[in-house]
Amino acid sequence: MQAIILAAGYATRMYPLTENTPKALLPLRGKPMIDYIVEQLNNLPDVQNIYVVSNSKFYPHFCEWAKTVSSEIPIEILDDGTTSNENRRGAVGDVHFAITEKDIDDELIVIAGDNYFTYDLREQLALFRKTGCDTLCGKELNDPEKLKSFGIAVLAPDGKLLNFEEKPQNPKSNIVIYAAYFFQKQTTALVEKFLQEGNSPDNIGSFPQWLYKFLDVYTYKMNGECYDIGTIEMYNEMNK
């Protein structure tokens, strides 16, 4: 299994904090945000390599960070060649870039570098192994307005994904999906097919929204919390 941490965004909504520092390297409760993800990945017995996808602007920052971070799993920083928010590849585009650049033909875990989560990734891995299917992570959210800002899943009693929509105006359930995905080896090759069909490379949630229509996908309902830190207000709140 290979791991990809997506950290090539420019986080313009969080300027000036992220104007000269990548969001994933902002300190959160005493250490860079991305360190918490690396710690979790090191708890998984199957991960062989961690690839952090950066942009050209912040590539040197991540290279310096990689020299000091504690990880038993090798970490490699990939420069996706973009220089601004205007020419970014998008999240799915960066997954495809990493797969192509490192010739990945393996199981894959993909995590957004700005996620802070308290559940144990080993529990999500256990469902991935039990079902033998691609596995998302989700949680109930009982705020009708906030639901409109997330990918929303409708699940069968066993967790099988029955419906998935990105940021719907009329959510069909209260299960929100966060950017931590386990993909089977055969699914890794489908990222290119997704893009070739003209689907948007921007939002990582668009890929499972497309995928579940012809492959079985399951959702692990997390025993913990996950925070997508996208605003200065959220970042300050998390640092209290």
Side-chain angles (χ1 to χ4, degrees), residues 29 78 93-94 109 169-170 191 198 202 220:
R29 298 176 179 176
L78 305 180
D94 276 322
I109 174 170
Q169 282 304 300
N170 297 296
V191 175
D202 286 336
Y220 159 72

Side-chain angles (χ1 to χ4, degrees), residues 6-7 9-37 52 58 61-62 65 113-116 228-239:
L6 298 171
Y10 292 86
T12 54
R13 288 188 300 161
M14 290 184 65
Y15 278 13
L17 284 180
T18 52
E19 196 162 5
N20 296 303
T21 302
K23 181 164 58 168
L25 294 186
L26 289 175
L28 183 66
R29 298 176 179 176
K31 56 187 174 185
M33 201 182 302
I34 195 173
D35 282 25
Y36 295 97
I37 299 173
V52 178
F58 291 130
H61 297 69
F62 282 105
W65 162 80
D114 58 358
N115 275 5
Y116 172 71
D228 175 3
I229 302 174
T231 65
I232 291 177
E233 292 74 22
M234 168 67 84
Y235 174 69
N236 289 337
E237 181 67 25
M238 292 299 300
N239 260 322

Side-chain angles (χ1 to χ4, degrees), residues 13-186:
R13 288 188 300 161
M14 290 184 65
Y15 278 13
L17 284 180
T18 52
E19 196 162 5
N20 296 303
T21 302
K23 181 164 58 168
L25 294 186
L26 289 175
L28 183 66
R29 298 176 179 176
K31 56 187 174 185
M33 201 182 302
I34 195 173
D35 282 25
Y36 295 97
I37 299 173
V38 171
E39 287 175 4
Q40 285 263 23
L41 290 173
N42 271 267
N43 289 332
L44 301 182
D46 304 357
V47 177
Q48 295 176 310
N49 297 283
I50 298 172
Y51 299 109
V52 178
V53 185
S54 173
N55 54 55
S56 292
K57 178 180 178 180
F58 291 130
Y59 177 72
H61 297 69
F62 282 105
C63 288
E64 287 302 310
W65 162 80
K67 294 175 184 177
T68 60
V69 66
S70 176
S71 177
E72 293 184 7
I73 301 170
I75 296 177
E76 184 174 347
I77 313 301
L78 305 180
D79 179 354
D80 77 352
T82 71
T83 55
S84 71
N85 203 48
E86 286 66 42
N87 66 9
R88 69 189 186 278
R89 290 177 181 266
V92 184
D94 276 322
V95 172
H96 181 252
F97 165 76
I99 290 171
T100 304
E101 186 77 4
K102 302 311 299 182
D103 195 24
I104 296 173
D105 182 25
D106 199 353
E107 296 174 332
L108 195 61
I109 174 170
V110 177
I111 300 181
D114 58 358
N115 275 5
Y116 172 71
F117 51 91
T118 63
Y119 77 94
D120 193 331
L121 272 181
R122 288 173 292 191
E123 296 177 2
Q124 188 176 352
L125 175 63
L127 182 62
F128 177 69
R129 290 284 176 243
K130 178 182 177 181
T131 62
C133 297
D134 303 317
T135 304
L136 318 180
C137 75
K139 186 175 177 64
E140 291 184 6
L141 177 64
N142 296 308
D143 184 322
E145 283 307 308
K146 286 185 178 179
L147 286 173
K148 298 176 183 179
S149 301
F150 286 90
I152 301 297
V154 177
L155 306 177
D158 64 353
K160 184 179 176 180
L161 190 62
L162 301 177
N163 184 269
F164 185 76
E165 286 185 274
E166 270 294 310
K167 301 179 180 179
Q169 282 304 300
N170 297 296
K172 295 178 181 177
S173 86
N174 67 341
I175 303 295
V176 301
I177 299 298
Y178 291 93
Y181 312 108
F182 285 81
F183 294 125
Q184 295 288 339
K185 178 179 177 179
Q186 61 267 31

